[in-house]
Amino acid sequence: MDTAGILAVLADVPDPEIPAVSVLDLGIVRGVGGGKVQITPTYSGCPATRFIEESIREALDAAGYRDVGIETVLSPPWTTDWISDEGKAKLLAYGIAPPDLAKAATCPQCGSTDTEEVSRFGSTPCKAQWRCTSCLEPFDRFKCH
Ligand SMILES: [Zn+2]
């Protein structure tokens, strides 16, 4: 099985909600081996979950990996810890505060950590809405479990 080739394909599959990051960056891909790709949905309530699997299927088929299966693994559940450092940098560049349980959210506009949560419900079910108290800009943040 061409693990490196499959990983290269997955690195080009964008997250349907945040096209700036790939399913690899977000840690949705749990592993490649045994003739299949194992994925874990970011949030079980996320309407994008099914679309992510279809996107990966299409990308694998297009690259000639039709015999590679996709297995959804629900346990242990995905956490924001699985987002790669590169993925976190891309999220910040895209205007979404990367999750960091140890720190307050960092404002993507001015870098201030004087921020507050406005609503648990942001633009999608996976994100909460935050606001910077320095520059008053609202921004999205991944919900931490
Ligand atoms: Zn700010």
Side-chain angles (χ1 to χ4, degrees):
M1 190 167 134
D2 181 10
T3 303
I6 290 168
L7 284 172
V9 170
L10 296 172
D12 282 336
V13 177
D15 179 76
E17 293 189 337
I18 313 154
V21 291
S22 75
V23 294
L24 272 187
D25 291 329
L26 281 180
I28 291 169
V29 176
R30 178 156 284 187
V32 176
K36 63 197 171 198
V37 175
Q38 288 186 316
I39 62 170
T40 297
T42 46
Y43 293 92
S44 54
C46 209
T49 299
R50 183 157 202 91
F51 188 78
I52 289 172
E53 187 175 334
E54 287 170 4
S55 298
I56 291 172
R57 179 75 269 156
E58 274 180 29
L60 288 173
D61 287 353
Y65 297 112
R66 289 176 190 282
D67 53 340
V68 176
I70 298 174
E71 182 185 19
T72 300
V73 182
L74 295 176
S75 180
W78 182 88
T79 79
T80 49
D81 289 345
W82 293 9
I83 302 175
S84 69
D85 288 342
E86 191 184 347
K88 286 175 185 170
K90 286 179 184 173
L91 285 173
L92 193 59
Y94 193 66
I96 296 172
D100 193 331
L101 294 169
K103 294 182 209 156
T106 303
C107 171
Q109 305 295 331
C110 70
S112 171
T113 51
D114 292 326
T115 53
E116 61 185 11
E117 188 177 77
V118 178
S119 166
R120 289 296 290 165
F121 302 98
S123 57
T124 78
C126 313
K127 288 176 241 160
Q129 200 184 2
W130 281 60
R131 182 174 58 200
C132 175
T133 52
S134 292
C135 70
L136 302 179
E137 284 292 324
F139 60 92
D140 286 335
R141 189 192 200 199
F142 266 102
K143 282 181 197 172
C144 296
H145 284 208

